[in-house]
Amino acid sequence: MVSPSPTTQRILGEVARLHGCDMDQLAKNLPDLSWNQLFLEVDRLSREGEVLVTLGARGRHIIRLPSYKTAPSSPQPQR
């Protein structure tokens, strides 16, 4: 398994910290990354199921983590 790039980690961290955001907010919070870098990485993450991209109010695309990524782990019952 390949470890995530620093760009990937920063994007996922920011989306988790904000509990979801749009591309403009992501670009504002990560100003050293170009909009194109953000778009390409969010697109890749979306295709791999690491983030969900949905259409929000005013035609903005909202980026968030899937619920299975944000839900606290519960201990599995022992058998």
Side-chain angles (χ1 to χ4, degrees), residues 5 13 30 52:
S5 73
L30 300 172
L52 296 174

Side-chain angles (χ1 to χ4, degrees), residues 3-49:
S3 62
S5 73
T7 299
T8 301
Q9 292 174 338
R10 291 180 62 210
I11 290 171
L12 290 174
E14 197 62 23
V15 171
R17 185 181 73 79
L18 296 170
H19 303 286
C21 60
D22 64 20
M23 284 294 291
D24 292 336
Q25 185 67 45
L26 199 56
K28 180 181 172 187
N29 290 3
L30 300 172
D32 58 313
L33 299 175
S34 71
W35 197 92
N36 288 339
Q37 287 174 301
L38 292 170
F39 178 83
L40 288 172
E41 190 60 16
V42 167
D43 180 55
R44 186 186 69 75
L45 291 168
S46 174
R47 291 173 191 271
E48 292 180 357

